[in-house]
Amino acid sequence: MLEPYFGKRLCICGLGNPSMPSDALGPAVTQTLPLGVLSDFAPEGRRFADVCSVTPGIALHSNLETVRVVAAVVREAQADLVLLIDAIAATEPEQLCQRFHLSTAGGVRLYNGDRPDWSSVGVPVVSVGFPAAIAAADGERLLTD
């Protein structure tokens, strides 16, 4: 999925709430990922021209829609592709940390069920979601393992 963008600019976005362990995967990745590995040290023909990362935080803390923050960073960085990393809710305990969801349709639904319009970012968006919590019966709270 990323191969057509080798040689171009990549923006990695770590989505989630770093203060909540079940939702902190995205921010943890962007804070620890050695970006030079993807641009400077990757094998010839399999590297990006430039890689940046951002942890946009959550709208509940900033009062800014995440997709708008990401779009602004993408414009400034002149990125050609966005890679979203996010923790998601599983429906069954067996799914926790056992699967991942990969999509070219943008990010996952928000905690309130809304789906942001990732097409407004202006470049293709690939999202990777890892089940790190189980949705409670009311569908709003997340319970961790």
PDB file of all heavy atoms in Angstrom, residues 2 5 9-13 54 70-71 73-74 79-85 103 118 121-127:
ATOM      1  N   LEU A   2       2.032   1.199   0.582  1.00  0.00           N
ATOM      2  CA  LEU A   2       2.892   2.375   0.652  1.00  0.00           C
ATOM      3  C   LEU A   2       3.853   2.474  -0.527  1.00  0.00           C
ATOM      4  O   LEU A   2       4.368   3.549  -0.812  1.00  0.00           O
ATOM      5  CB  LEU A   2       3.679   2.375   1.959  1.00  0.00           C
ATOM      6  CG  LEU A   2       2.878   2.349   3.251  1.00  0.00           C
ATOM      7  CD1 LEU A   2       3.807   2.334   4.452  1.00  0.00           C
ATOM      8  CD2 LEU A   2       1.906   3.502   3.334  1.00  0.00           C
ATOM      9  N   TYR A   5       4.337   5.311  -3.000  1.00  0.00           N
ATOM     10  CA  TYR A   5       4.753   6.584  -2.425  1.00  0.00           C
ATOM     11  C   TYR A   5       6.220   6.618  -2.029  1.00  0.00           C
ATOM     12  O   TYR A   5       6.694   7.634  -1.523  1.00  0.00           O
ATOM     13  CB  TYR A   5       3.853   6.933  -1.232  1.00  0.00           C
ATOM     14  CG  TYR A   5       2.427   7.048  -1.685  1.00  0.00           C
ATOM     15  CD1 TYR A   5       1.567   5.971  -1.585  1.00  0.00           C
ATOM     16  CD2 TYR A   5       1.970   8.217  -2.272  1.00  0.00           C
ATOM     17  CE1 TYR A   5       0.265   6.061  -2.049  1.00  0.00           C
ATOM     18  CE2 TYR A   5       0.672   8.308  -2.737  1.00  0.00           C
ATOM     19  CZ  TYR A   5      -0.173   7.232  -2.624  1.00  0.00           C
ATOM     20  OH  TYR A   5      -1.453   7.317  -3.102  1.00  0.00           O
ATOM     21  N   ARG A   9       7.008  12.231   0.033  1.00  0.00           N
ATOM     22  CA  ARG A   9       6.970  12.671   1.431  1.00  0.00           C
ATOM     23  C   ARG A   9       5.852  11.967   2.191  1.00  0.00           C
ATOM     24  O   ARG A   9       4.711  11.938   1.756  1.00  0.00           O
ATOM     25  CB  ARG A   9       6.770  14.175   1.493  1.00  0.00           C
ATOM     26  CG  ARG A   9       7.934  14.932   0.950  1.00  0.00           C
ATOM     27  CD  ARG A   9       7.704  16.421   1.102  1.00  0.00           C
ATOM     28  NE  ARG A   9       8.905  17.134   0.735  1.00  0.00           N
ATOM     29  CZ  ARG A   9       8.921  18.147  -0.112  1.00  0.00           C
ATOM     30  NH1 ARG A   9       7.807  18.585  -0.647  1.00  0.00           N
ATOM     31  NH2 ARG A   9      10.049  18.743  -0.401  1.00  0.00           N
ATOM     32  N   LEU A  10       6.190  11.462   3.384  1.00  0.00           N
ATOM     33  CA  LEU A  10       5.263  10.731   4.241  1.00  0.00           C
ATOM     34  C   LEU A  10       5.066  11.482   5.552  1.00  0.00           C
ATOM     35  O   LEU A  10       6.036  11.949   6.154  1.00  0.00           O
ATOM     36  CB  LEU A  10       5.815   9.332   4.538  1.00  0.00           C
ATOM     37  CG  LEU A  10       5.078   8.487   5.579  1.00  0.00           C
ATOM     38  CD1 LEU A  10       3.691   8.103   5.082  1.00  0.00           C
ATOM     39  CD2 LEU A  10       5.893   7.249   5.922  1.00  0.00           C
ATOM     40  N   CYS A  11       3.818  11.571   5.993  1.00  0.00           N
ATOM     41  CA  CYS A  11       3.496  12.142   7.307  1.00  0.00           C
ATOM     42  C   CYS A  11       2.835  11.045   8.141  1.00  0.00           C
ATOM     43  O   CYS A  11       1.790  10.515   7.755  1.00  0.00           O
ATOM     44  CB  CYS A  11       2.551  13.331   7.162  1.00  0.00           C
ATOM     45  SG  CYS A  11       2.101  14.077   8.749  1.00  0.00           S
ATOM     46  N   ILE A  12       3.455  10.688   9.253  1.00  0.00           N
ATOM     47  CA  ILE A  12       2.917   9.670  10.149  1.00  0.00           C
ATOM     48  C   ILE A  12       2.212  10.380  11.299  1.00  0.00           C
ATOM     49  O   ILE A  12       2.810  11.238  11.953  1.00  0.00           O
ATOM     50  CB  ILE A  12       4.028   8.757  10.691  1.00  0.00           C
ATOM     51  CG1 ILE A  12       4.772   8.088   9.535  1.00  0.00           C
ATOM     52  CG2 ILE A  12       3.454   7.720  11.649  1.00  0.00           C
ATOM     53  CD1 ILE A  12       6.005   7.331   9.956  1.00  0.00           C
ATOM     54  N   CYS A  13       0.952  10.026  11.521  1.00  0.00           N
ATOM     55  CA  CYS A  13       0.156  10.669  12.569  1.00  0.00           C
ATOM     56  C   CYS A  13      -0.214   9.652  13.633  1.00  0.00           C
ATOM     57  O   CYS A  13      -0.847   8.638  13.332  1.00  0.00           O
ATOM     58  CB  CYS A  13      -1.118  11.264  11.983  1.00  0.00           C
ATOM     59  SG  CYS A  13      -0.787  12.553  10.787  1.00  0.00           S
ATOM     60  N   VAL A  54       3.526  13.583  13.572  1.00  0.00           N
ATOM     61  CA  VAL A  54       2.758  14.518  14.382  1.00  0.00           C
ATOM     62  C   VAL A  54       1.855  13.714  15.312  1.00  0.00           C
ATOM     63  O   VAL A  54       1.383  12.639  14.959  1.00  0.00           O
ATOM     64  CB  VAL A  54       1.931  15.484  13.505  1.00  0.00           C
ATOM     65  CG1 VAL A  54       0.901  14.747  12.681  1.00  0.00           C
ATOM     66  CG2 VAL A  54       1.280  16.567  14.340  1.00  0.00           C
ATOM     67  N   VAL A  70      -4.341  17.605  11.302  1.00  0.00           N
ATOM     68  CA  VAL A  70      -3.548  16.784  10.383  1.00  0.00           C
ATOM     69  C   VAL A  70      -3.458  17.460   9.018  1.00  0.00           C
ATOM     70  O   VAL A  70      -2.382  17.520   8.410  1.00  0.00           O
ATOM     71  CB  VAL A  70      -4.129  15.365  10.275  1.00  0.00           C
ATOM     72  CG1 VAL A  70      -3.427  14.566   9.182  1.00  0.00           C
ATOM     73  CG2 VAL A  70      -4.029  14.648  11.616  1.00  0.00           C
ATOM     74  N   ALA A  71      -4.560  17.994   8.527  1.00  0.00           N
ATOM     75  CA  ALA A  71      -4.558  18.671   7.224  1.00  0.00           C
ATOM     76  C   ALA A  71      -3.584  19.849   7.216  1.00  0.00           C
ATOM     77  O   ALA A  71      -2.865  20.058   6.230  1.00  0.00           O
ATOM     78  CB  ALA A  71      -5.967  19.132   6.865  1.00  0.00           C
ATOM     79  N   VAL A  73      -0.858  20.204   9.073  1.00  0.00           N
ATOM     80  CA  VAL A  73       0.505  19.670   9.085  1.00  0.00           C
ATOM     81  C   VAL A  73       0.874  19.139   7.702  1.00  0.00           C
ATOM     82  O   VAL A  73       1.987  19.379   7.206  1.00  0.00           O
ATOM     83  CB  VAL A  73       0.661  18.572  10.160  1.00  0.00           C
ATOM     84  CG1 VAL A  73       1.997  17.853  10.027  1.00  0.00           C
ATOM     85  CG2 VAL A  73       0.497  19.163  11.543  1.00  0.00           C
ATOM     86  N   VAL A  74      -0.047  18.449   7.065  1.00  0.00           N
ATOM     87  CA  VAL A  74       0.202  17.904   5.722  1.00  0.00           C
ATOM     88  C   VAL A  74       0.507  19.038   4.737  1.00  0.00           C
ATOM     89  O   VAL A  74       1.444  18.939   3.935  1.00  0.00           O
ATOM     90  CB  VAL A  74      -0.995  17.055   5.248  1.00  0.00           C
ATOM     91  CG1 VAL A  74      -0.929  16.777   3.754  1.00  0.00           C
ATOM     92  CG2 VAL A  74      -1.045  15.753   6.033  1.00  0.00           C
ATOM     93  N   ALA A  79       3.316  16.945   2.416  1.00  0.00           N
ATOM     94  CA  ALA A  79       3.306  15.482   2.396  1.00  0.00           C
ATOM     95  C   ALA A  79       2.475  14.957   1.222  1.00  0.00           C
ATOM     96  O   ALA A  79       1.510  15.596   0.785  1.00  0.00           O
ATOM     97  CB  ALA A  79       2.751  14.940   3.707  1.00  0.00           C
ATOM     98  N   ASP A  80       2.866  13.806   0.731  1.00  0.00           N
ATOM     99  CA  ASP A  80       2.153  13.146  -0.362  1.00  0.00           C
ATOM    100  C   ASP A  80       1.241  12.031   0.136  1.00  0.00           C
ATOM    101  O   ASP A  80       0.387  11.547  -0.606  1.00  0.00           O
ATOM    102  CB  ASP A  80       3.162  12.546  -1.348  1.00  0.00           C
ATOM    103  CG  ASP A  80       4.043  13.613  -1.963  1.00  0.00           C
ATOM    104  OD1 ASP A  80       3.503  14.502  -2.651  1.00  0.00           O
ATOM    105  OD2 ASP A  80       5.275  13.572  -1.733  1.00  0.00           O
ATOM    106  N   LEU A  81       1.445  11.595   1.381  1.00  0.00           N
ATOM    107  CA  LEU A  81       0.694  10.479   1.958  1.00  0.00           C
ATOM    108  C   LEU A  81       0.664  10.637   3.466  1.00  0.00           C
ATOM    109  O   LEU A  81       1.637  11.082   4.072  1.00  0.00           O
ATOM    110  CB  LEU A  81       1.380   9.151   1.607  1.00  0.00           C
ATOM    111  CG  LEU A  81       0.805   7.881   2.222  1.00  0.00           C
ATOM    112  CD1 LEU A  81      -0.566   7.546   1.617  1.00  0.00           C
ATOM    113  CD2 LEU A  81       1.757   6.713   2.039  1.00  0.00           C
ATOM    114  N   VAL A  82      -0.468  10.255   4.064  1.00  0.00           N
ATOM    115  CA  VAL A  82      -0.598  10.244   5.527  1.00  0.00           C
ATOM    116  C   VAL A  82      -0.767   8.799   5.972  1.00  0.00           C
ATOM    117  O   VAL A  82      -1.552   8.047   5.387  1.00  0.00           O
ATOM    118  CB  VAL A  82      -1.815  11.087   5.983  1.00  0.00           C
ATOM    119  CG1 VAL A  82      -2.059  10.907   7.471  1.00  0.00           C
ATOM    120  CG2 VAL A  82      -1.609  12.546   5.635  1.00  0.00           C
ATOM    121  N   LEU A  83      -0.042   8.426   7.008  1.00  0.00           N
ATOM    122  CA  LEU A  83      -0.191   7.119   7.639  1.00  0.00           C
ATOM    123  C   LEU A  83      -0.680   7.365   9.061  1.00  0.00           C
ATOM    124  O   LEU A  83       0.033   7.952   9.868  1.00  0.00           O
ATOM    125  CB  LEU A  83       1.131   6.361   7.651  1.00  0.00           C
ATOM    126  CG  LEU A  83       1.134   5.003   8.348  1.00  0.00           C
ATOM    127  CD1 LEU A  83       0.168   4.037   7.656  1.00  0.00           C
ATOM    128  CD2 LEU A  83       2.538   4.433   8.390  1.00  0.00           C
ATOM    129  N   LEU A  84      -1.925   6.953   9.339  1.00  0.00           N
ATOM    130  CA  LEU A  84      -2.508   7.105  10.667  1.00  0.00           C
ATOM    131  C   LEU A  84      -2.245   5.850  11.478  1.00  0.00           C
ATOM    132  O   LEU A  84      -2.458   4.737  10.987  1.00  0.00           O
ATOM    133  CB  LEU A  84      -4.026   7.305  10.576  1.00  0.00           C
ATOM    134  CG  LEU A  84      -4.548   8.489   9.775  1.00  0.00           C
ATOM    135  CD1 LEU A  84      -6.072   8.448   9.733  1.00  0.00           C
ATOM    136  CD2 LEU A  84      -4.062   9.786  10.373  1.00  0.00           C
ATOM    137  N   ILE A  85      -1.811   6.005  12.713  1.00  0.00           N
ATOM    138  CA  ILE A  85      -1.622   4.896  13.644  1.00  0.00           C
ATOM    139  C   ILE A  85      -2.556   5.159  14.815  1.00  0.00           C
ATOM    140  O   ILE A  85      -2.498   6.220  15.427  1.00  0.00           O
ATOM    141  CB  ILE A  85      -0.169   4.832  14.176  1.00  0.00           C
ATOM    142  CG1 ILE A  85       0.844   4.933  13.051  1.00  0.00           C
ATOM    143  CG2 ILE A  85       0.015   3.612  15.066  1.00  0.00           C
ATOM    144  CD1 ILE A  85       1.186   3.682  12.354  1.00  0.00           C
ATOM    145  N   SER A 103      -6.549   0.199   6.227  1.00  0.00           N
ATOM    146  CA  SER A 103      -7.562   0.791   5.360  1.00  0.00           C
ATOM    147  C   SER A 103      -7.001   1.951   4.563  1.00  0.00           C
ATOM    148  O   SER A 103      -6.133   2.682   5.040  1.00  0.00           O
ATOM    149  CB  SER A 103      -8.732   1.287   6.212  1.00  0.00           C
ATOM    150  OG  SER A 103      -9.670   1.985   5.413  1.00  0.00           O
ATOM    151  N   TRP A 118     -11.687  12.408   6.093  1.00  0.00           N
ATOM    152  CA  TRP A 118     -10.250  12.421   5.860  1.00  0.00           C
ATOM    153  C   TRP A 118      -9.905  12.859   4.449  1.00  0.00           C
ATOM    154  O   TRP A 118      -8.764  13.199   4.164  1.00  0.00           O
ATOM    155  CB  TRP A 118      -9.643  11.057   6.189  1.00  0.00           C
ATOM    156  CG  TRP A 118      -9.611  10.826   7.657  1.00  0.00           C
ATOM    157  CD1 TRP A 118     -10.508  10.105   8.403  1.00  0.00           C
ATOM    158  CD2 TRP A 118      -8.677  11.360   8.591  1.00  0.00           C
ATOM    159  NE1 TRP A 118     -10.174  10.160   9.731  1.00  0.00           N
ATOM    160  CE2 TRP A 118      -9.055  10.920   9.877  1.00  0.00           C
ATOM    161  CE3 TRP A 118      -7.556  12.166   8.474  1.00  0.00           C
ATOM    162  CZ2 TRP A 118      -8.346  11.264  11.026  1.00  0.00           C
ATOM    163  CZ3 TRP A 118      -6.846  12.509   9.615  1.00  0.00           C
ATOM    164  CH2 TRP A 118      -7.246  12.058  10.871  1.00  0.00           C
ATOM    165  N   VAL A 121      -8.073  16.187   3.934  1.00  0.00           N
ATOM    166  CA  VAL A 121      -6.627  16.333   4.142  1.00  0.00           C
ATOM    167  C   VAL A 121      -5.946  16.666   2.809  1.00  0.00           C
ATOM    168  O   VAL A 121      -4.936  17.348   2.779  1.00  0.00           O
ATOM    169  CB  VAL A 121      -6.036  15.059   4.787  1.00  0.00           C
ATOM    170  CG1 VAL A 121      -4.527  15.079   4.810  1.00  0.00           C
ATOM    171  CG2 VAL A 121      -6.594  14.880   6.179  1.00  0.00           C
ATOM    172  N   GLY A 122      -6.503  16.186   1.710  1.00  0.00           N
ATOM    173  CA  GLY A 122      -5.987  16.524   0.394  1.00  0.00           C
ATOM    174  C   GLY A 122      -4.990  15.556  -0.197  1.00  0.00           C
ATOM    175  O   GLY A 122      -4.543  15.743  -1.324  1.00  0.00           O
ATOM    176  N   VAL A 123      -4.594  14.537   0.557  1.00  0.00           N
ATOM    177  CA  VAL A 123      -3.692  13.497   0.056  1.00  0.00           C
ATOM    178  C   VAL A 123      -4.244  12.151   0.512  1.00  0.00           C
ATOM    179  O   VAL A 123      -5.078  12.089   1.414  1.00  0.00           O
ATOM    180  CB  VAL A 123      -2.236  13.680   0.572  1.00  0.00           C
ATOM    181  CG1 VAL A 123      -1.644  15.005   0.097  1.00  0.00           C
ATOM    182  CG2 VAL A 123      -2.151  13.551   2.067  1.00  0.00           C
ATOM    183  N   PRO A 124      -3.808  11.060  -0.104  1.00  0.00           N
ATOM    184  CA  PRO A 124      -4.274   9.747   0.346  1.00  0.00           C
ATOM    185  C   PRO A 124      -3.949   9.497   1.822  1.00  0.00           C
ATOM    186  O   PRO A 124      -2.906   9.937   2.321  1.00  0.00           O
ATOM    187  CB  PRO A 124      -3.514   8.765  -0.548  1.00  0.00           C
ATOM    188  CG  PRO A 124      -3.172   9.555  -1.766  1.00  0.00           C
ATOM    189  CD  PRO A 124      -2.937  10.960  -1.281  1.00  0.00           C
ATOM    190  N   VAL A 125      -4.857   8.797   2.512  1.00  0.00           N
ATOM    191  CA  VAL A 125      -4.705   8.479   3.925  1.00  0.00           C
ATOM    192  C   VAL A 125      -4.800   6.967   4.091  1.00  0.00           C
ATOM    193  O   VAL A 125      -5.791   6.361   3.685  1.00  0.00           O
ATOM    194  CB  VAL A 125      -5.787   9.176   4.774  1.00  0.00           C
ATOM    195  CG1 VAL A 125      -5.682   8.746   6.234  1.00  0.00           C
ATOM    196  CG2 VAL A 125      -5.681  10.691   4.650  1.00  0.00           C
ATOM    197  N   VAL A 126      -3.771   6.375   4.669  1.00  0.00           N
ATOM    198  CA  VAL A 126      -3.767   4.956   5.012  1.00  0.00           C
ATOM    199  C   VAL A 126      -3.834   4.889   6.526  1.00  0.00           C
ATOM    200  O   VAL A 126      -3.093   5.596   7.214  1.00  0.00           O
ATOM    201  CB  VAL A 126      -2.491   4.257   4.493  1.00  0.00           C
ATOM    202  CG1 VAL A 126      -2.421   2.819   5.002  1.00  0.00           C
ATOM    203  CG2 VAL A 126      -2.440   4.295   2.976  1.00  0.00           C
ATOM    204  N   SER A 127      -4.719   4.061   7.052  1.00  0.00           N
ATOM    205  CA  SER A 127      -4.818   3.952   8.508  1.00  0.00           C
ATOM    206  C   SER A 127      -4.541   2.529   8.954  1.00  0.00           C
ATOM    207  O   SER A 127      -4.901   1.565   8.282  1.00  0.00           O
ATOM    208  CB  SER A 127      -6.190   4.407   8.999  1.00  0.00           C
ATOM    209  OG  SER A 127      -7.200   3.590   8.479  1.00  0.00           O
TER     210      SER A 127
END
